[in-house]
Amino acid sequence: MAELKTVLNDWHRQHGARMVSFGGWDMPVQYRGIIEEHKAVRQHSGMFDISHMGRLYFKGNGIIPFLDKLCTNQIESMKPNQVRYSLICNSNGGILDDVLVYRLAGQWLVVVNASNREKIVQWIKNHQIDGDFQLVDETLHTAMIAIQGPQSLRICQDLFVDSIQDLAYYYSKPNKIIAAKIGLDASDENLEVLVSRTGYTGEDGIEIIANNSLAVPLANTLLQLGVVPCGLGARDTLRLEAAMPLYGHELHENVDPIQAGLEWAVKLNKRNFLGREGLIRTRDSHERIRIGLELEGKRAAREGALVYSQTQVVGQITSGSYSPTLDRSIAMAYVRADYGILKTALLVDIRGTFTPATVVALPFYKRPGSK
Amino acid sequence: MDLKRLLYAASHEWSDINDQICTMGITQYAVDQLTDVTHLQLPKVGTATTAEKPLGEIESVKAVFDLYAPVTGEVIEVNEAVRRDPSLINQDPYEKGWMLKIRMVPGSDLSHLMNYEKYSKQIAEGH
């Protein structure tokens, strides 16, 4: 199957990106360098093309009960414009995807992982029986750009008709780009965008969903304003420092949200949702948990590396990297719950060398001033 | 550095050979593939090397790769600056980013190494 390309594909290549295959899409892994891009987001502002994320719009009277059946988190209680993180689970409670649900005016948006888009659309269709709603997949008609880092709101504020300063964390708002600010004629249509105060980096910032035609002018304008183009490489190291799980690594169908440390996004007291019975069945028998590790030295523990207590295997690494912010080797792992206690001394087999590691609190990094 | 003077391994190490001394590093192509280098494991002075066998490893943010000895011989010098600051490899892979000097055994076979034209053709083909 041919790789999908976002509307910014040529733009990435023109700006020196090295491209890789990711979730069925041809995406930039880096432009000038992962560490430089990572630091730009921590200290200033960086932009990411996240148009590969699936954007599924729902309309219809039956949508709230359906989303509450689909999602582990509470949907009905969401306020207008609110955004909420949720898992979608199979009947055993295994994670099919982690998603953001947006309550918009007259419709709902669910943003899913690129690699899971077709699976989730199919899952929804399989469970749509009698559901009074329509699903429209807008992934290929729209672009999505994340602007992340402490200076991002200040830099972006003048691009929009309405202020973005009062946008609360995990809220979205329909807005309009000021055509002249991105070098377009005012008569150009499709200046309507959706701006949310969300992200996947551990920094403040926004994510913009716009019509495809706005993507290149917007990216050019952001670049002129000093926002650094960032690839999937930096996105991965940033989310790892912030201990955000990544589907295909920390999350998959053989792990449930409780093991993954995402119990806060599961409302077992909700009437019924897909996977609830499975989660209740296994909730008191959780033999493994997601933990953070800090390793000695600078060698990274890669996915799949085994975690030992003395000579006994007690777990496995799911993500690991050199941390540019902390200047040390960090990793997330699933380990037997009795070995996941803070400050426990463990060993990680890094290509044959048993490397000392210590269980530490997650996240590894919190932005200054956050809770 | 005149890149046309160097010899190249299929595993992307460059070798600059003068008077039986081989200075080695990795090529710009390898650096581009690696992304930012974060860690380097190099043999100590006095270590014996065997051509085409692993002699160390290079690790970047994204991945880790073995370094292969371009020649058979003995390590006589390690670039301590690059060991302390592996980002020199990203900045300047052919000059400041050199890694080791190896004294070659007399009569070493170099037939596994490529000249500039042949290596350029290999990377143009994307491997």
PDB file of all heavy atoms in Angstrom, chain A residues 258-270:
ATOM      1  N   ILE A 258      -5.383   0.214  33.424  1.00  0.00           N
ATOM      2  CA  ILE A 258      -4.952   0.233  34.825  1.00  0.00           C
ATOM      3  C   ILE A 258      -3.458  -0.074  34.893  1.00  0.00           C
ATOM      4  O   ILE A 258      -2.689   0.616  35.567  1.00  0.00           O
ATOM      5  CB  ILE A 258      -5.748  -0.807  35.668  1.00  0.00           C
ATOM      6  CG1 ILE A 258      -7.215  -0.865  35.274  1.00  0.00           C
ATOM      7  CG2 ILE A 258      -5.521  -0.584  37.161  1.00  0.00           C
ATOM      8  CD1 ILE A 258      -8.076   0.303  35.576  1.00  0.00           C
ATOM      9  N   GLN A 259      -3.035  -1.110  34.186  1.00  0.00           N
ATOM     10  CA  GLN A 259      -1.607  -1.453  34.124  1.00  0.00           C
ATOM     11  C   GLN A 259      -0.800  -0.282  33.566  1.00  0.00           C
ATOM     12  O   GLN A 259       0.330  -0.039  33.983  1.00  0.00           O
ATOM     13  CB  GLN A 259      -1.392  -2.668  33.204  1.00  0.00           C
ATOM     14  CG  GLN A 259      -2.023  -3.944  33.726  1.00  0.00           C
ATOM     15  CD  GLN A 259      -2.028  -5.048  32.678  1.00  0.00           C
ATOM     16  OE1 GLN A 259      -1.989  -4.789  31.482  1.00  0.00           O
ATOM     17  NE2 GLN A 259      -2.082  -6.285  33.144  1.00  0.00           N
ATOM     18  N   ALA A 260      -1.386   0.416  32.602  1.00  0.00           N
ATOM     19  CA  ALA A 260      -0.684   1.517  31.940  1.00  0.00           C
ATOM     20  C   ALA A 260      -0.635   2.777  32.794  1.00  0.00           C
ATOM     21  O   ALA A 260      -0.058   3.783  32.382  1.00  0.00           O
ATOM     22  CB  ALA A 260      -1.347   1.818  30.590  1.00  0.00           C
ATOM     23  N   GLY A 261      -1.244   2.730  33.984  1.00  0.00           N
ATOM     24  CA  GLY A 261      -1.232   3.914  34.846  1.00  0.00           C
ATOM     25  C   GLY A 261      -2.204   4.984  34.395  1.00  0.00           C
ATOM     26  O   GLY A 261      -2.028   6.161  34.697  1.00  0.00           O
ATOM     27  N   LEU A 262      -3.245   4.585  33.664  1.00  0.00           N
ATOM     28  CA  LEU A 262      -4.197   5.561  33.120  1.00  0.00           C
ATOM     29  C   LEU A 262      -5.587   5.391  33.741  1.00  0.00           C
ATOM     30  O   LEU A 262      -6.603   5.694  33.127  1.00  0.00           O
ATOM     31  CB  LEU A 262      -4.277   5.405  31.589  1.00  0.00           C
ATOM     32  CG  LEU A 262      -2.937   5.594  30.874  1.00  0.00           C
ATOM     33  CD1 LEU A 262      -3.054   5.226  29.393  1.00  0.00           C
ATOM     34  CD2 LEU A 262      -2.451   7.049  31.007  1.00  0.00           C
ATOM     35  N   GLU A 263      -5.608   4.910  34.993  1.00  0.00           N
ATOM     36  CA  GLU A 263      -6.869   4.672  35.692  1.00  0.00           C
ATOM     37  C   GLU A 263      -7.722   5.938  35.770  1.00  0.00           C
ATOM     38  O   GLU A 263      -8.948   5.880  35.758  1.00  0.00           O
ATOM     39  CB  GLU A 263      -6.554   4.155  37.104  1.00  0.00           C
ATOM     40  CG  GLU A 263      -7.729   3.469  37.751  1.00  0.00           C
ATOM     41  CD  GLU A 263      -7.304   2.595  38.934  1.00  0.00           C
ATOM     42  OE1 GLU A 263      -6.099   2.574  39.273  1.00  0.00           O
ATOM     43  OE2 GLU A 263      -8.192   1.950  39.503  1.00  0.00           O
ATOM     44  N   TRP A 264      -7.045   7.083  35.809  1.00  0.00           N
ATOM     45  CA  TRP A 264      -7.771   8.368  35.891  1.00  0.00           C
ATOM     46  C   TRP A 264      -8.652   8.597  34.675  1.00  0.00           C
ATOM     47  O   TRP A 264      -9.595   9.378  34.726  1.00  0.00           O
ATOM     48  CB  TRP A 264      -6.781   9.527  36.067  1.00  0.00           C
ATOM     49  CG  TRP A 264      -5.753   9.604  34.968  1.00  0.00           C
ATOM     50  CD1 TRP A 264      -4.550   8.973  34.935  1.00  0.00           C
ATOM     51  CD2 TRP A 264      -5.836  10.350  33.743  1.00  0.00           C
ATOM     52  NE1 TRP A 264      -3.884   9.262  33.773  1.00  0.00           N
ATOM     53  CE2 TRP A 264      -4.649  10.105  33.021  1.00  0.00           C
ATOM     54  CE3 TRP A 264      -6.809  11.196  33.189  1.00  0.00           C
ATOM     55  CZ2 TRP A 264      -4.398  10.679  31.767  1.00  0.00           C
ATOM     56  CZ3 TRP A 264      -6.561  11.774  31.945  1.00  0.00           C
ATOM     57  CH2 TRP A 264      -5.362  11.509  31.255  1.00  0.00           C
ATOM     58  N   ALA A 265      -8.366   7.921  33.575  1.00  0.00           N
ATOM     59  CA  ALA A 265      -9.170   8.096  32.353  1.00  0.00           C
ATOM     60  C   ALA A 265     -10.177   6.969  32.175  1.00  0.00           C
ATOM     61  O   ALA A 265     -10.753   6.808  31.110  1.00  0.00           O
ATOM     62  CB  ALA A 265      -8.252   8.188  31.131  1.00  0.00           C
ATOM     63  N   VAL A 266     -10.385   6.191  33.242  1.00  0.00           N
ATOM     64  CA  VAL A 266     -11.349   5.080  33.199  1.00  0.00           C
ATOM     65  C   VAL A 266     -12.381   5.306  34.294  1.00  0.00           C
ATOM     66  O   VAL A 266     -12.022   5.464  35.462  1.00  0.00           O
ATOM     67  CB  VAL A 266     -10.643   3.723  33.437  1.00  0.00           C
ATOM     68  CG1 VAL A 266     -11.649   2.587  33.402  1.00  0.00           C
ATOM     69  CG2 VAL A 266      -9.553   3.511  32.404  1.00  0.00           C
ATOM     70  N   LYS A 267     -13.642   5.335  33.900  1.00  0.00           N
ATOM     71  CA  LYS A 267     -14.710   5.563  34.888  1.00  0.00           C
ATOM     72  C   LYS A 267     -15.523   4.277  35.015  1.00  0.00           C
ATOM     73  O   LYS A 267     -16.506   4.078  34.315  1.00  0.00           O
ATOM     74  CB  LYS A 267     -15.595   6.736  34.447  1.00  0.00           C
ATOM     75  CG  LYS A 267     -14.831   8.054  34.263  1.00  0.00           C
ATOM     76  CD  LYS A 267     -14.296   8.608  35.588  1.00  0.00           C
ATOM     77  CE  LYS A 267     -13.571   9.941  35.403  1.00  0.00           C
ATOM     78  NZ  LYS A 267     -12.138   9.801  35.107  1.00  0.00           N
ATOM     79  N   LEU A 268     -15.044   3.403  35.921  1.00  0.00           N
ATOM     80  CA  LEU A 268     -15.698   2.095  36.069  1.00  0.00           C
ATOM     81  C   LEU A 268     -17.117   2.236  36.602  1.00  0.00           C
ATOM     82  O   LEU A 268     -17.942   1.336  36.421  1.00  0.00           O
ATOM     83  CB  LEU A 268     -14.876   1.189  36.998  1.00  0.00           C
ATOM     84  CG  LEU A 268     -13.586   0.629  36.392  1.00  0.00           C
ATOM     85  CD1 LEU A 268     -12.813  -0.170  37.429  1.00  0.00           C
ATOM     86  CD2 LEU A 268     -13.874  -0.228  35.164  1.00  0.00           C
ATOM     87  N   ASN A 269     -17.420   3.362  37.272  1.00  0.00           N
ATOM     88  CA  ASN A 269     -18.773   3.569  37.786  1.00  0.00           C
ATOM     89  C   ASN A 269     -19.737   4.075  36.713  1.00  0.00           C
ATOM     90  O   ASN A 269     -20.925   4.245  36.959  1.00  0.00           O
ATOM     91  CB  ASN A 269     -18.757   4.509  38.995  1.00  0.00           C
ATOM     92  CG  ASN A 269     -18.101   5.846  38.676  1.00  0.00           C
ATOM     93  OD1 ASN A 269     -17.667   6.063  37.532  1.00  0.00           O
ATOM     94  ND2 ASN A 269     -18.026   6.734  39.657  1.00  0.00           N
ATOM     95  N   LYS A 270     -19.217   4.316  35.502  1.00  0.00           N
ATOM     96  CA  LYS A 270     -20.077   4.690  34.387  1.00  0.00           C
ATOM     97  C   LYS A 270     -20.927   3.478  34.022  1.00  0.00           C
ATOM     98  O   LYS A 270     -20.426   2.352  34.057  1.00  0.00           O
ATOM     99  CB  LYS A 270     -19.174   5.098  33.218  1.00  0.00           C
ATOM    100  CG  LYS A 270     -19.774   6.029  32.232  1.00  0.00           C
ATOM    101  CD  LYS A 270     -18.689   6.635  31.337  1.00  0.00           C
ATOM    102  CE  LYS A 270     -18.144   5.633  30.336  1.00  0.00           C
ATOM    103  NZ  LYS A 270     -17.503   6.299  29.179  1.00  0.00           N
TER     104      LYS A 270
END
